[in-house]
Amino acid sequence: MASKWSYISRTVPNDASIKITTPLINLRGSEPTYKAFADQITAKREIQRDRREHMTQAASTLQEEVTPELSKAMDLASQSGASSWLTSLPIKEHGFCLHKGAFVDAMALRYGWTPIKTPTHCACGAAFVVDHILSCPRGGFPSLRHNEIRDLTARLLTEVCNDVQIEPELQEITTETMSGRSANTTIGARLDVAASGLWGGRRERTLMDVRVFNPFAPSNRNTTLDQCFRKHEREKIRAYGQRVREVEHATFVPIVMSATGGLSKQATNFYKRLASLLAEKWDQPYSTTLHWLRCSLSFSLLRSAIQCIRGARSSRGHAMKMSPVDLVIAEASLQQK
């Protein structure tokens, strides 16, 4: 009896070879012509299109039969750049390497499995599951994940832009009126990164704000990835878009990405522009530079996710806090010696 997964492996390998070589076979020993090569290229494109359609149909059929959790994991893995860590060479100097335990955890996150050898409960008392552990604020790991993406972006911007700043303070709002109710009008509000010259003008200012969301969180669990990206982008734009545009006279870019990889539309355009500038400066092909940039982001997110799973959240091992009285006594003892 045929397996229910047989449609995935349905291929006819000889048909593709015959279709591609037919224009050359028809020459029958005569000199190759432009039409023969053009027909061969057309045949290759048709085969590639048929394969893409076949794989898309197979993936859609498979997602209808698997669990919702695994279906969401498949969507996450299919995002642009989300699987870069799995296909890149393990070059240590670029940070593209994982030890065996981290690789096992990475595969568990990729397929929505429960990581092995984990405690039953988090340090905060909740059950130790991926849905919770990627968002638990205990230990500050979500903030570290955010800061790593922020610092990586700022470090790359310094290669091609001027006046790059981390956490620039926004100007105070005086007589300006913000139309949105959720607009951030607080004094001392800050964004993550600022740079000049990103979009062409040397003095044109661009302000960016990073958000890394957990796609397995209860608030995102029942929505598609596209809806999650749009929701978080709109929240950032409502909070800072008008203020940056009308008070700072700058361009605002929300950099939204999921904790397991994948970028929003505006974040994708931003990193493509950054890769284009880096490729021009480093004299490297654009495709190679973009792949390297996606690998850097992918490994950064992956290491942060693994740290959320394996990092210590308890107070054990932290430095002891001394009271002012103890500190005075300790200083007096040192002076006497």
Side-chain angles (χ1 to χ4, degrees):
M1 184 176 65
S3 170
K4 66 177 181 178
W5 311 112
S6 60
Y7 58 83
I8 296 178
S9 59
R10 176 175 53 83
T11 57
V12 184
N14 292 335
D15 287 357
S17 299
I18 294 172
K19 192 171 184 179
I20 292 174
T21 57
T22 296
L24 299 179
I25 294 173
N26 292 337
L27 294 174
R28 301 185 184 280
S30 59
E31 290 294 328
T33 61
Y34 175 80
K35 183 178 184 305
F37 287 118
D39 292 342
Q40 192 177 32
I41 293 174
T42 302
K44 289 181 179 179
R45 290 176 177 173
E46 290 178 355
I47 292 172
Q48 291 174 350
R49 185 182 64 251
D50 292 342
R51 285 180 177 174
R52 283 195 299 268
E53 292 176 356
H54 168 63
M55 296 304 296
T56 302
Q57 182 181 1
S60 300
T61 306
L62 181 60
Q63 283 190 307
E64 293 175 358
E65 300 187 17
V66 299
T67 61
E69 293 77 11
L70 184 56
S71 177
K72 185 121 186 195
M74 292 174 62
D75 288 337
L76 290 168
S78 63
Q79 293 289 304
S80 297
S83 300
S84 299
W85 65 271
L86 196 57
T87 58
S88 64
L89 295 175
I91 304 174
K92 188 174 182 180
E93 63 182 13
H94 292 294
F96 298 166
C97 59
L98 300 170
H99 58 75
K100 60 182 181 181
F103 184 82
V104 172
D105 289 338
M107 296 303 292
L109 289 172
R110 178 178 174 84
Y111 293 108
W113 300 334
T114 302
I116 62 174
K117 297 182 180 179
T118 55
T120 57
H121 289 83
C122 178
C124 67
F128 196 97
V129 292
V130 175
D131 298 7
H132 165 78
I133 208 65
L134 291 179
S135 302
C136 181
R138 189 76 175 266
F141 295 129
S143 297
L144 294 176
R145 176 177 62 204
H146 166 275
N147 294 344
E148 188 167 348
I149 296 296
R150 178 201 64 191
D151 296 343
L152 173 62
T153 302
R155 188 164 61 251
L156 294 175
L157 284 170
T158 56
E159 295 284 332
V160 292
C161 295
N162 305 313
D163 192 19
V164 179
Q165 295 180 352
I166 293 179
E167 293 191 355
E169 184 174 344
L170 299 180
Q171 298 182 61
E172 182 179 348
I173 295 178
T174 53
T175 59
E176 298 85 1
T177 302
M178 300 292 105
S179 59
R181 291 182 297 176
S182 58
N184 189 326
T185 59
T186 58
I187 299 176
R190 296 176 180 271
L191 292 180
D192 287 322
V193 186
S196 298
L198 177 65
W199 304 109
R202 181 173 297 180
R203 294 180 177 83
E204 183 182 352
R205 197 75 167 149
T206 303
L207 297 172
M208 293 139 277
D209 203 49
V210 177
R211 172 173 290 183
V212 184
F213 68 92
N214 176 15
F216 300 107
S219 58
N220 301 319
R221 188 181 304 160
N222 298 323
T223 56
T224 64
L225 281 178
D226 290 338
Q227 291 174 340
C228 289
F229 283 126
R230 287 197 298 268
K231 178 184 73 172
H232 292 290
E233 270 191 347
R234 286 196 298 265
E235 289 178 359
K236 286 293 184 182
I237 292 173
R238 285 197 297 264
Y240 297 107
Q242 184 182 3
R243 181 171 181 175
V244 170
R245 185 173 60 254
E246 297 182 4
V247 180
E248 302 292 335
H249 290 185
T251 303
F252 175 66
V253 178
I255 301 178
V256 177
M257 56 186 67
S258 68
T260 55
L263 303 173
S264 65
K265 184 177 180 180
Q266 293 200 38
T268 299
N269 294 335
F270 165 77
Y271 283 113
K272 283 183 177 180
R273 173 60 179 172
L274 180 56
S276 176
L277 296 176
L278 291 172
E280 183 179 355
K281 179 178 180 180
W282 294 341
D283 194 21
Q284 295 292 328
Y286 168 75
S287 58
T288 303
T289 307
L290 181 60
H291 179 68
W292 175 86
L293 180 55
R294 284 175 171 172
C295 284
S296 299
L297 293 171
S298 180
F299 273 97
S300 177
L301 291 170
L302 186 61
R303 285 192 294 266
S304 300
I306 294 172
Q307 190 178 31
C308 289
I309 296 173
R310 301 297 176 183
R313 286 183 164 85
S314 63
S315 59
R316 291 181 298 175
H318 294 182
M320 295 179 60
K321 294 183 180 179
M322 298 179 63
S323 66
V325 177
D326 294 334
L327 185 59
V328 171
I329 295 174
E331 290 179 350
S333 300
L334 292 174
Q335 291 176 2
Q336 291 177 0
K337 293 181 180 180

